[in-house]
Amino acid sequence: MRILTVVGNRPQFIKAAAVSGPLRERHEEVLVHTGQHHDDALSRIFFSELGLARPDRELGVSGGSNSSQTARMLAALEPLLADLAPDAVLVYGDTNSTLAGALAAAQARIPVVHVEAGMRSFDRAMPEELNRVLSDHIAELLLCSSETAAANLRAESAAGVAVVVGDVMVDVALRLQPAARSEAAVPREHGLEPGSYLLLTAHRAGNVDDQDRLAALVELIAALPAPVLLPLHPRTAARLEQFGLQAALRAIPGLVLCEPLGYLEFSALLCQARAVVTDSGGVQKEAYLAGVPCVTLRASTEWVETVELGWNTLVDLDADDALAALERTPPAERPALYGDGHAAERCVEAIDELAGRLAGAPA
Ligand code: UDP
């Protein structure tokens, strides 16, 4: 089959890096980069570090509101799909690029494959939740990271075929974390001793786009035990500047700020952190895999198993709850969640089956 893959942001490059290799052994892939994340720190470095092929097409769509960005992507994808006539469109996760890819394909009556289908926070105020629910109900093939995700799809009576394949980000993490764990030079380059620091990431719209919430986040960071390393996401940096909170952040003693990092450097820092504090989905999952306790700056999560097992604590932006969570002793048990590192191969097998179904379907 000719498969057109739509990617656009950091975690999607990581997911595509897992799937693209095995996919290209059996199918033709055309990689389309929407431009949602376009700078070197959030985009280019992931292609070079993780061996992802250069995009075949770049749509150059970034910025603006969610609706306007999605609309511009749709407008750019429509002629591309007509021109390239793929047999299927592959989308990842829950971004505007995911929804635009899925909707443009469905309007052109091209089957959609959704990787990381069925994840739910049950919080419709999150743009990501809207993107994932809508994409799931458009998709023909729903590739799930967990049984929980498949159960969510059943509960919603999603029409596509759901297959639990495991999580493709886990494939990448399991491959690279063993080496990352012993890279003691990486934290030291940031002036940090392995095992002694907190790694922090924050960029969710719900935390940084609202001035009061962002101020509460800065206060929470000030309350955390130093040292804390914060690779600052450009969205967060822009809002700190807009709301005049940059100086307050920079004045926090023991806070080490840096640019967003490449996957390998970030993994080394994550594996050797005392704990992770984050509002990222992917980072919660990677902390669990690394056996590093996680404190999540949200009131809900899609990765519910990490919370149920006691490795992850949801604190929203409550500084006292965050401090209490950091005092908890990590559980003794850490069973394998989200697959065994071979999710990408199972994705391709499920895509092969889809190809068989499509070939057998009446025209
Ligand atoms: N990540 C990275 N460099 C950083 C911060 C995160 O490589 O400075 C990686 C991280 O290892 C994870 C992914 O980016 O694989 C998570 O992306 P993000 O937090 O942007 O998105 P989310 O998972 O919340 O959708």
Side-chain angles (χ1 to χ4, degrees):
M1 287 207 294
R2 171 182 285 177
I3 296 174
L4 186 141
T5 299
V6 181
V7 291
N9 84 340
R10 173 166 70 183
Q12 287 168 342
F13 307 139
I14 299 166
K15 292 165 197 175
V19 177
S20 193
L23 185 70
R24 284 172 189 231
E25 286 172 17
R26 308 234 273 270
H27 299 277
E28 179 197 351
E29 184 182 41
V30 182
L31 190 64
V32 177
H33 186 331
T34 60
Q36 193 176 339
H37 280 171
H38 51 89
D39 57 16
D40 285 356
L42 291 186
S43 175
R44 192 186 302 264
I45 188 164
F46 294 91
F47 285 79
S48 52
E49 270 191 341
L50 300 175
L52 182 59
R54 285 168 62 93
D56 299 291
R57 302 291 176 101
E58 302 204 32
L59 306 183
V61 177
S62 66
S65 68
N66 288 316
S67 292
S68 113
Q69 192 183 82
T70 309
R72 283 178 285 133
M73 287 176 186
L74 278 168
L77 282 165
E78 186 180 25
L80 199 65
L81 293 175
D83 182 27
L84 296 170
D87 301 298
V89 167
L90 174 61
V91 294
Y92 293 93
D94 55 22
T95 69
N96 296 335
S97 303
T98 315
L99 178 59
L103 187 52
Q107 296 285 17
R109 306 200 61 79
I110 299 167
V112 174
V113 180
H114 185 202
V115 172
E116 213 181 77
M119 301 312 297
R120 295 289 181 270
S121 64
F122 301 101
D123 176 4
R124 290 276 170 112
M126 287 178 77
E128 295 91 340
E129 183 78 353
L130 299 175
N131 290 336
R132 28 173 117 93
V133 170
L134 295 168
S135 300
D136 280 341
H137 285 266
I138 289 169
E140 189 103 8
L141 181 59
L142 297 151
L143 300 174
C144 302
S145 298
S146 66
E147 293 293 344
T148 306
N152 290 337
L153 293 170
R154 280 196 298 276
E156 291 175 15
S157 304
V161 173
V163 185
V164 179
V165 290
D167 191 272
V168 299
M169 261 179 145
V170 170
D171 293 10
V172 182
L174 289 183
R175 205 169 68 228
L176 299 175
Q177 281 188 355
R181 218 164 266 135
S182 53
E183 298 268 9
V186 177
R188 290 197 180 116
E189 276 161 22
H190 293 271
L192 302 164
E193 274 309 302
S196 72
Y197 60 91
L198 300 178
L199 178 63
L200 173 71
T201 78
H203 71 280
R204 287 260 95 70
N207 281 341
V208 306
D209 284 4
D210 175 274
Q211 183 164 359
D212 292 341
R213 299 266 307 165
L214 188 57
L217 175 65
V218 172
E219 273 178 38
L220 182 146
I221 297 171
L224 293 173
V228 178
L229 177 64
L230 171 57
L232 198 56
H233 193 284
R235 176 185 198 113
T236 311
R239 298 296 178 270
L240 285 163
E241 171 142 20
Q242 182 187 338
F243 299 137
L245 290 163
Q246 221 175 30
L249 183 80
R250 290 190 181 279
I252 295 173
L255 178 67
V256 182
L257 286 167
C258 65
E259 293 293 309
L261 303 166
Y263 186 85
L264 299 177
E265 188 174 1
F266 186 80
S267 287
L269 289 161
L270 177 135
C271 289
Q272 297 175 70
R274 168 162 101 73
V276 166
V277 181
T278 190
D279 64 9
S280 157
V283 174
Q284 291 173 58
K285 189 167 52 184
E286 289 167 351
Y288 179 83
L289 291 174
V292 174
C294 184
V295 175
T296 295
L297 305 173
R298 289 176 44 191
S300 62
T301 182
E302 305 77 38
W303 306 98
V304 286
E305 297 84 355
T306 60
V307 175
E308 286 159 8
L309 288 164
W311 281 91
N312 186 7
T313 311
L314 303 177
V315 302
D316 200 2
L317 293 179
D318 188 307
D320 290 337
D321 286 355
L323 293 181
L326 288 168
E327 293 300 314
R328 283 176 66 172
T329 312
E333 299 289 313
R334 194 163 49 84
L337 293 177
Y338 315 127
D340 56 0
H342 295 281
E345 292 151 43
R346 284 192 209 98
C347 286
V348 178
E349 282 165 20
I351 290 169
D352 290 346
E353 281 168 25
L354 173 71
R357 284 201 296 282
L358 293 174

